[in-house]
Amino acid sequence: MVESLGRGETLYQLGGQYTILNIIFNSKYTENRVIAARVFCFANQNDAKVQNDSIGIGAFEFVERISKESDTKVKESFLSCVSNLIRGENLEAKRIFIRIKGLEMVREVITGEPTQRMKSKCFNVLRDLLFYDDVMHHTYKDLTSFSNTNSLKVEP
């Protein structure tokens, strides 16, 4: 559904992101929260405009709520949301994530008692932060050898 909505921009324009976040953060039903988180992930994945719109309406609340969440499925979903919220070349979103103690949240999850899926999501976040660093784009002239980048050639 979200894929056909221009990766979430239309969903945001219709006010759907507010509804999705409200369900994720406030529904008493685990399954509703998990499904809403999937929709959020699809809408935000690799779409800087939608990511920024989501951040603007409070989506980084996931970072704070992960440590307080007791339900494993919901916690895994929150990690997926964070991963998709900063995925891609949206360097400003990554900087904000780091400033709001996102790395500390990742460390807390990894050093706690995470499921294998939680560990995987945390390592995806860390990999994405490393591969999409703007310094890297200026250091390497050919980024095609990096698997998680839209490799841009930088001429000397």
Side-chain angles (χ1 to χ4, degrees):
M1 174 183 101
V2 175
E3 299 267 343
S4 64
L5 293 175
R7 287 224 167 256
E9 188 172 341
T10 305
L11 181 68
Y12 178 79
Q13 290 171 350
L14 295 171
Q17 290 288 71
Y18 293 102
T19 303
I20 297 296
L21 286 173
N22 186 43
I23 293 168
I24 293 169
F25 293 141
N26 300 313
S27 177
K28 63 182 178 179
Y29 302 106
T30 299
E31 195 60 30
N32 290 355
R33 296 174 80 196
V34 170
I35 291 169
R38 277 192 217 129
V39 172
F40 181 89
C41 288
F42 284 124
N44 283 276
Q45 183 175 337
N46 295 319
D47 189 328
K49 181 179 180 347
V50 176
Q51 290 167 338
N52 290 333
D53 291 340
S54 294
I55 291 166
I57 61 170
F60 269 139
E61 191 174 329
F62 286 114
V63 173
E64 184 181 319
R65 289 195 179 224
I66 285 172
S67 63
K68 298 174 184 172
E69 183 58 52
S70 59
D71 187 283
T72 302
K73 283 187 175 196
V74 174
K75 195 174 229 179
E76 289 172 349
S77 295
F78 281 12
L79 286 167
S80 294
C81 289
V82 168
S83 177
N84 284 322
L85 192 58
I86 66 169
R87 183 174 294 161
E89 295 182 351
N90 189 347
L91 299 176
E92 187 56 31
K94 290 169 179 25
R95 290 182 187 108
I96 294 168
F97 174 76
I98 292 167
R99 274 196 308 270
I100 64 166
K101 309 287 187 208
L103 290 174
E104 287 81 353
M105 176 274 301
V106 169
R107 184 195 56 185
E108 184 180 309
V109 170
I110 291 173
T111 59
E113 294 182 16
T115 65
Q116 190 59 42
R117 188 162 186 247
M118 286 182 208
K119 286 181 195 175
S120 176
K121 292 295 175 189
C122 287
F123 288 124
N124 284 341
V125 167
L126 294 174
R127 182 186 67 214
D128 194 64
L129 288 170
L130 291 172
F131 280 153
Y132 278 106
D133 183 277
D134 56 345
V135 173
M136 185 173 155
H137 283 273
H138 296 289
T139 305
Y140 296 94
K141 293 181 177 150
D142 183 5
L143 297 178
T144 56
S145 62
F146 297 99
S147 63
N148 192 28
T149 186
N150 291 330
S151 58
L152 302 171
K153 280 201 170 194
V154 178
E155 298 300 323

